[in-house]
Amino acid sequence: MPRLSYLKALNRALGDEMDADESVFVMGEDMNFALTNVTAGFLQRFGPQRVLEMPLSEQGFTNFATGAAMAGRRPVVEFQIPFLLLLVFEQITNQANKFRLMSGGQTSVPVTYLMPASGVRTGWGAQHSDQPYSLFAHMGVKTVMPATPTDAYGLLITAIRDDDPVIFFGPLACMGVREDVDYADLLPIPLGEARLHRSGTDVTVVAVGQLVHDAIAVADELAGEVSVEVFDPRTIYPFDWAALAESLQRTGRLVVFDDGNRFAGLGAEVLATAAEQMHLVAAPRRISRPDAAIVGASPDLDAGLLPTRQQLTSAISAVLKG
Amino acid sequence: MTECQDIELEQSRRDSLYRTIRLIRRFEERCLDLVKSGDLVSGIHPCIGQEAVATGVAAALDGEDIMFSSHRGHGHFLAKGSDPSTFLAELLGRANGIDRGRGGSFHPSDFTRNIYNATGTVGHSAAIAAGAAWSVAQAGTGQVVTCFFGDGAVSQGALLEGFNLASLWRLPVIYICENNQYATSLPVGAAVAGTITGRGEAFGIPSVTVDGQDVEVVLAAMTGAVRRARAGDGPTLIEADTYRYFGHHTFEFKVRLDYRSEDELARWRCRDPLEIAAGRVSPQVRSEIDADVEAVLDEAVRFALDGARLDPADAQEYTYTTGPQPRAGAL
């Protein structure tokens, strides 16, 4: 059975969609050399009219994608660094994501933004290391962050086929994750469907991105002692609240393992919703980056900012006592 | 410099240009009444004084051509053929509005006329228009894309990024800067270093300044620009020198801003686009057109005021094409 890496899954999904649908094209920086390898081989395969090399002009080319989409194409915009999403926050949230509503349903803007989630590249600096996924969910932009190659394949296909703007975060820390797959099993995965990586009865751990793999490791470590359910929403927005409610019905205990900042982050949202509407027998916990986290200059300092397995283990024992 | 064609227009064409200018002028005056009566709640960015620009631009286009409007955009819509009744209903936020009340005066769109939108972030439509132009060029449809913005927009970096992409790939897009001399209260001389056409020329875009008060001058410049675009020769920038008679927005009726002199207003009113166009039609035709426009607008006002009010429960309809039902703000 072939070993498929996360990176290769992205390459395969994008290539498959470009084969299947002439209106799909990819644009971004350093396309001619496929710098990130996501588009490796595409220039030869699809030609320069469908693999658009862009000048260093992120606001311009993000808007360009919106116009191209309204005129009938399905752009996939590749960014190399997550902070660029802050530069194009306006273009995505205030332009692309509002045009359908503002037109009363006359138009759609089917753009996919393919974004490396930080994850983190050690020492790459404070301006290359944010995890802005909660911001886009807050603004109501469809946002996915798959953790495994199979999920990356299936959700990228779905993101491209979706008629609305979708942001796809692929954590850099996941790019090398490999899975044995039968290519025939690679299928589109609907937005908003969570996946249980481990079933459990004592506590539900909601983890996203590369933290899913840490959560699985912790669950395996605690096996026999604590029965941990590892819940990966895969889609940040829309979140699979029904599946979470079902999981908490079983466990009644919740820990969220979130790589974003604490204040008004994904962890805050999940805890608030669970507290309002779901079955909890103990006060829930969240592990996140601190408030105002500025990550990335020194591996030593980053250790004080990034969520750890140890923190997760402690939080699990705290909710079990609660 | 782009070529400015000297066109000898047929009289029926001149009558039609006058009619469009008259329609925009009277539509806007009706809007001012509806703002004062409280029916048009948002207020408007009146384009009275600038009607010849929209009219001359649209007259050079085919129905299939794509347009991106601006916040001061009512004239663009009417000139491109939007139905005055459903358009006015949109400004009033009614269910029978062209965008079902979701676009309003500031951000309407009309896909029946290929008007994609009027974005509120000044200057940002330049690259969106370039993207649309790229799509239609790739598809070989022969459509051209027009993109309106004001003098305020030329200080926006995003606009210049759009110019760069459009010129780099010789896209069929025509940029129209309606230089009405003020960005809200800021005179163009205090905001723009260099010149507006210099912005275009820096990117290798043929750029021209024309008299925006004379619809036939605008039409002549547009005719050349459209020919270039359809031939695959790339973008053009047209700076139309014009003036708005009223404030940036109707809130200026309440907040009296003293940034323009009476003399200046009077000077511009001497070159009123409506009267310039009227001078080219017979008095009899003029009075027939005027009466017809009033009848159309009487009907539009009736249609808009009779439009059903929208249900707050439907406020999030059309947010997404598929999928998520946004959660309510209160349980």
Side-chain angles (χ1 to χ4, degrees):
Chain A
M1 198 173 272
R3 294 279 285 169
L4 181 69
S5 74
Y6 194 110
L7 181 61
K8 189 68 191 158
L10 296 181
N11 176 271
R12 194 177 179 89
L14 185 50
D16 284 355
E17 275 312 279
M18 287 176 70
D19 271 336
D21 183 349
E22 282 283 318
S23 70
V24 179
F25 70 98
V26 61
M27 53 190 273
E29 288 155 329
D30 303 303
M31 283 284 135
N32 288 345
F33 300 96
L35 184 75
T36 62
N37 271 319
V38 168
T39 57
F42 280 21
L43 195 57
Q44 295 73 18
R45 194 168 150 199
F46 298 107
Q49 300 304 320
R50 295 182 71 198
V51 183
L52 265 62
E53 180 75 282
M54 286 289 162
L56 217 157
S57 184
E58 289 86 8
Q59 297 190 328
F61 70 66
T62 305
N63 273 334
F64 181 97
T66 301
M70 283 196 290
R73 300 295 291 266
R74 302 184 90 84
V76 177
V77 190
E78 198 213 18
F79 297 89
Q80 294 175 3
I81 302 166
F83 85 88
L84 291 172
L85 276 185
L86 303 181
L87 186 64
V88 300
F89 197 68
E90 153 70 22
Q91 288 73 20
I92 297 173
T93 63
N94 201 33
Q95 310 280 346
N97 205 50
K98 289 186 180 172
F99 284 168
R100 178 173 173 78
L101 180 118
M102 287 183 348
S103 73
Q106 292 177 83
T107 190
S108 293
V109 184
V111 183
T112 304
Y113 310 95
L114 185 54
M115 171 65 48
S118 123
V120 115
R121 283 188 280 205
T122 310
W124 273 51
Q127 294 184 326
H128 286 59
S129 308
D130 284 333
Q131 283 284 46
Y133 50 78
S134 292
L135 293 180
F136 290 92
H138 182 75
M139 294 303 290
V141 184
K142 295 175 179 177
T143 303
V144 302
M145 188 156 79
T148 71
T150 309
D151 288 350
Y153 179 92
L155 280 162
L156 183 53
I157 295 276
T158 303
I160 295 168
R161 291 183 189 171
D162 199 277
D163 286 332
D164 295 319
V166 180
I167 301 187
F168 183 108
F169 283 94
L172 286 167
C174 291
M175 289 296 159
V177 171
R178 286 180 162 72
E179 251 178 339
D180 291 326
V181 295
D182 185 337
Y183 290 139
D185 293 338
L186 292 174
L187 295 170
I189 294 168
L191 299 187
E193 267 190 22
R195 170 177 176 182
L196 293 183
H197 288 275
R198 293 287 183 276
S199 296
T201 49
D202 293 332
V203 57
T204 300
V205 172
V206 175
V208 289
Q210 77 280 5
L211 297 182
V212 169
H213 301 287
D214 290 315
I216 290 170
V218 167
D220 290 347
E221 223 171 84
L222 297 177
E225 217 177 303
V226 186
S227 172
V228 178
E229 182 143 300
V230 179
F231 180 103
D232 174 5
R234 303 192 289 191
T235 305
I236 310 284
Y237 186 87
F239 196 94
D240 190 348
W241 297 118
L244 182 64
E246 205 176 297
S247 174
L248 291 176
Q249 203 57 47
R250 283 191 295 277
T251 63
R253 292 181 165 82
L254 172 65
V255 177
V256 184
F257 202 28
D258 169 21
D259 197 30
N261 290 359
R262 195 165 186 84
F263 190 94
L266 175 67
E269 179 56 41
V270 174
L271 258 58
T273 301
E276 275 182 324
Q277 293 178 276
M278 297 176 193
H279 170 68
L280 287 174
V281 297
R285 293 279 179 126
R286 63 189 146 132
I287 313 295
S288 65
R289 297 183 180 191
D291 282 353
I294 299 172
V295 175
S298 146
D300 292 334
L301 293 173
D302 291 352
L305 299 170
L306 298 173
T308 65
R309 290 183 190 184
Q310 222 168 6
Q311 289 171 331
L312 178 60
T313 309
S314 308
I316 288 170
S317 56
V319 297
L320 285 169
K321 283 178 201 141
Chain B
M1 292 287 282
T2 181
E3 54 180 320
C4 273
Q5 309 272 314
D6 271 327
I7 304 170
E8 197 49 50
L9 294 179
E10 286 176 20
Q11 189 56 45
S12 62
R13 199 85 195 282
R14 292 190 150 153
D15 294 348
S16 156
L17 293 173
Y18 170 74
R19 186 186 189 283
T20 303
I21 293 176
R22 178 75 186 181
L23 176 69
I24 300 170
R25 172 70 55 93
R26 291 294 298 139
F27 182 91
E28 290 287 81
E29 287 171 349
R30 301 275 186 134
C31 285
L32 295 182
D33 293 342
L34 290 163
V35 171
K36 284 174 187 151
S37 66
D39 293 296
L40 208 170
V41 177
S42 67
I44 67 166
H45 299 89
C47 69
I48 295 173
Q50 303 183 200
E51 300 93 338
V53 185
T55 303
V57 167
L61 300 173
D62 291 340
E64 291 302 307
D65 291 327
I66 294 166
M67 184 178 277
F68 286 85
S69 180
S70 70
H71 56 279
R72 199 176 308 286
H74 300 170
H76 310 152
F77 283 76
L78 295 170
K80 195 139 189 327
S82 289
D83 169 45
S85 293
T86 50
F87 189 59
L88 187 60
E90 182 58 33
L91 309 193
L92 267 54
R94 301 301 175 97
N96 55 353
I98 213 155
D99 305 308
R100 300 176 167 101
R102 271 74 172 181
S105 167
F106 295 8
H107 313 307
S109 51
D110 181 358
F111 281 75
T112 68
R113 293 292 176 273
N114 277 347
I115 306 174
Y116 278 16
N117 64 47
T119 189
T121 315
V122 167
H124 278 242
S125 53
I128 301 176
W134 177 82
S135 271
V136 297
Q138 289 285 305
T141 64
Q143 289 162 285
V144 305
V145 179
T146 48
C147 174
F148 286 97
F149 48 85
D151 47 284
V154 306
S155 300
Q156 286 277 14
L159 179 101
L160 305 178
E161 293 188 31
F163 282 7
N164 188 49
L165 296 173
S167 185
L168 197 59
W169 296 325
R170 299 174 79 82
L171 298 174
V173 57
I174 300 163
Y175 291 114
I176 298 119
C177 177
E178 295 185 86
N179 178 0
N180 66 13
Q181 318 302 324
Y182 291 89
T184 309
S185 66
L186 185 66
V188 67
V192 178
T195 61
I196 290 174
T197 50
R199 302 282 203 274
E201 285 156 4
F203 294 96
I205 299 176
S207 304
V208 64
T209 304
V210 301
D211 175 8
Q213 302 309 86
D214 186 336
V215 65
E216 295 193 14
V217 171
V218 176
L219 173 57
M222 267 299 287
T223 303
V226 168
R227 184 173 305 137
R228 273 177 45 78
R230 290 210 209 283
D233 292 336
T236 300
L237 169 62
I238 296 171
E239 176 195 9
D241 224 12
T242 186
Y243 199 75
R244 57 172 157 79
Y245 294 171
F246 290 88
H248 164 68
H249 180 272
T250 45
F251 72 74
E252 283 188 38
F253 289 131
K254 290 179 184 156
V255 188
R256 292 239 169 245
L257 298 176
D258 192 20
Y259 57 89
R260 308 191 293 183
S261 68
E262 289 302 322
D263 277 0
E264 181 180 295
L265 263 162
R267 272 201 311 281
W268 279 94
R269 279 185 184 272
C270 283
R271 302 205 65 253
D272 183 30
L274 182 74
E275 291 307 323
I276 290 172
R280 296 174 183 138
V281 302
S282 73
Q284 192 197 333
V285 168
R286 182 179 187 179
S287 72
E288 282 167 17
I289 288 173
D290 290 358
D292 178 54
V293 163
E294 291 315 304
V296 166
L297 292 176
D298 285 345
E299 167 58 17
V301 171
R302 189 201 58 72
F303 179 86
L305 287 172
D306 284 354
R309 306 299 291 253
L310 289 158
D311 183 347
D314 296 335
Q316 287 185 286
E317 201 180 346
Y318 310 116
T319 306
Y320 303 107
T321 314
T322 56
Q325 292 304 312
R327 293 181 297 165
L331 294 177

